[in-house]
Amino acid sequence: MKLTCSPDALGHALQVVSRAVSPRTTLPILNNVLLETSPEGLRLTATNLEIGIVDHVDAEVQAEGAVTLPAKLLTEFVAQLHDSQMELELDAKTQTLSVRCGAYKDVKIKGIEAGEFPALPAREDGVKVILDQAELIPAIDQTVVAASNDDGRPVLTGVLTHVDGKNITLAATDGHRLAVRTLTAQSADGGSGGEDGAGESVIIPARALGELGRILKGEGTVEMALGRSGNHVFFKLPRIELMSRLIEGTYPNYSQVIPEQSNTTITVSTKELHERTRGVSIFARDSANVVRIKTEAGEISISANTSEVGSSEASVGAEIEGADIQIAFNSRYLLDVLSLVSTDKVAMGFNGPLSPGVVKPAGKDDYTYVIMPVRVAM
């Protein structure tokens, strides 16, 4: 293998694919990134056997070849290079890559044969939809936040993704809160969704979607493809591909948790409620992050009380319809949703101190966030 490419372009691609490199693995080859020549120039691949990421770099190839190199070492070294071009040349016998760039005349990096690198799953024919990046990025953020980190219940560490014609629904829950976001899509052939994807549901690991969200730039589209075998999901951008193993299992029937109506509805400034809750929550850190919410005469009060620390209370003006309410929540769950709502105002619905609370962007129905209350003495 012998080629010339831009160190900036290579460095960027290494940062992208390295997101799939696991810091804790017993297989040395998984600490490496695969470099191989391709029609586009240079193709980079990394995987932890659950997630795989591929990126391409424009390069002038003089001789074809492939090698795997330590991802961390290579990424850190290339980040130090600032010349316009770098030369890479592989000694196939010793699996050593020589790098020349500016003042670095002959850097040698020991590699492992490309044949030992695990092959990524091949894309299969199946459901394919086109998603708008500008809509997908917030949808990912608004749902993965509610996914569980407990590997004891694997299905809850994923995001249930339901494809139904031109509608895509993402849902995640950790048992204490639930986030559901709907967005529109087009079929991969340019139609408006079609019937191919009707009723298709898969559980995508929240980590995979989180990594996808970091890769997306917010412009253009991304293709999502579900293989016929039901084992993997593939996301394709112009130069980057991300694939992930799907989670097997049955996802809970989350729809039964969402209240159909509310006895009390509150509409309040998203920014003001976020600021007041954040300030009050400082006093709740030593009491399981519990904050209390109470409605009264055109405003709501947020309070926290910890005997060893002290107490805090703040109020914010609000539009209140229905019966007064006193209820307590984990402040972290409330702050998470308030930081993800893009509308100026947020609508909150309640049915009593022991029933789930519902948070939505005011005037919009594409995002629903449900929080289970905390049972405390009011």
Side-chain angles (χ1 to χ4, degrees):
M1 180 172 75
K2 184 177 182 181
L3 58 89
T4 303
C5 68
S6 161
D8 287 342
L10 179 58
H12 180 269
L14 284 167
Q15 290 180 356
V16 169
V17 301
S18 292
R19 297 185 185 279
V21 177
S22 174
R24 299 178 299 275
T25 178
T26 57
L27 298 175
I29 194 68
L30 296 184
N31 290 314
N32 284 15
V33 57
L34 172 64
L35 281 71
E36 55 188 338
T37 56
S38 72
E40 291 84 1
L42 182 63
R43 171 185 165 107
L44 282 71
T45 305
T47 182
N48 60 10
L49 300 183
E50 297 294 327
I51 301 172
I53 302 178
V54 177
D55 199 353
H56 295 85
V57 177
D58 291 331
E60 182 180 335
V61 178
Q62 289 87 41
E64 297 183 355
V67 67
T68 77
L69 300 170
K72 183 177 180 182
L73 183 148
L74 185 61
T75 301
E76 291 181 350
F77 173 66
V78 173
Q80 307 305 311
L81 306 179
H82 303 295
D83 290 84
S84 59
Q85 293 293 319
M86 64 186 298
E87 297 178 8
L88 308 178
E89 185 172 3
L90 175 67
D91 183 333
K93 292 183 179 180
T94 63
Q95 292 295 299
T96 301
L97 186 75
S98 295
V99 181
R100 291 179 290 277
C101 184
Y104 297 91
K105 302 301 183 183
D106 191 16
V107 176
K108 296 187 183 298
I109 304 175
K110 297 289 186 178
I112 301 176
E113 289 187 5
E116 297 187 27
F117 197 81
L120 297 184
R123 293 188 61 181
E124 307 168 310
D125 291 335
V127 177
K128 295 181 182 179
V129 292
I130 303 297
L131 300 168
D132 187 345
Q133 288 194 36
E135 189 176 11
L136 180 58
I137 291 175
I140 290 174
D141 292 340
Q142 291 171 342
T143 50
V144 298
V145 69
S148 175
N149 295 318
D150 182 6
D151 292 330
R153 298 187 66 185
V155 295
L156 297 189
T157 65
V159 176
L160 180 66
T161 304
H162 182 72
V163 182
D164 185 5
K166 65 179 181 179
N167 296 316
I168 309 293
T169 302
L170 306 179
T173 181
D174 59 7
H176 302 287
R177 52 181 169 172
L178 164 70
V180 182
R181 172 66 194 269
T182 58
L183 58 159
T184 57
Q186 292 183 336
S187 64
D189 61 6
S192 58
E195 298 296 326
D196 291 344
E200 188 82 21
S201 292
V202 296
I203 305 173
I204 303 176
R207 187 198 163 195
L209 285 177
E211 297 298 351
L212 176 65
R214 295 180 182 95
I215 292 172
L216 298 177
K217 300 300 183 183
E219 299 178 355
T221 59
V222 57
E223 177 188 282
M224 182 179 77
L226 305 177
R228 291 291 186 189
S229 65
N231 295 324
H232 295 88
V233 60
F234 303 85
F235 295 94
K236 184 177 181 181
L237 288 82
R239 300 181 67 89
I240 302 173
E241 295 178 66
L242 182 148
M243 55 213 68
S244 172
R245 188 185 300 274
L246 296 172
I247 298 175
E248 297 182 359
T250 302
Y251 206 81
N253 182 10
Y254 66 84
S255 59
Q256 62 185 9
V257 179
I258 304 174
E260 295 182 358
Q261 57 186 14
S262 301
N263 295 329
T264 305
T265 302
I266 301 171
T267 304
V268 61
S269 164
T270 306
K271 180 181 178 181
E272 291 183 8
L273 181 59
H274 185 266
E275 290 176 347
R276 305 294 190 276
T277 303
R278 184 175 56 194
V280 168
S281 68
I282 295 171
F283 291 80
R285 292 171 182 168
D286 294 329
S287 61
N289 294 314
V290 175
V291 295
R292 296 166 174 81
I293 293 178
K294 181 173 65 173
T295 61
E296 50 188 7
E299 65 179 23
I300 59 174
S301 67
I302 308 101
S303 63
N305 189 340
T306 304
S307 57
E308 297 84 2
V309 177
S311 61
S312 177
E313 182 174 355
S315 61
V316 56
E319 302 172 25
I320 302 171
E321 298 181 6
D324 284 335
I325 182 74
Q326 296 186 59
I327 194 168
F329 293 115
N330 182 315
S331 62
R332 182 168 64 87
Y333 299 158
L334 184 56
L335 287 170
D336 280 346
V337 65
L338 292 175
S339 68
L340 294 169
V341 170
S342 59
T343 53
D344 292 337
K345 292 188 176 183
V346 65
M348 308 170 68
F350 305 100
N351 286 308
L354 302 181
S355 297
V358 178
V359 182
K360 292 184 176 183
K364 301 183 68 175
D365 293 321
D366 61 354
Y367 184 46
T368 300
Y369 187 94
V370 181
I371 317 177
M372 297 302 295
V374 179
R375 188 188 296 265
V376 295
M378 303 298 289

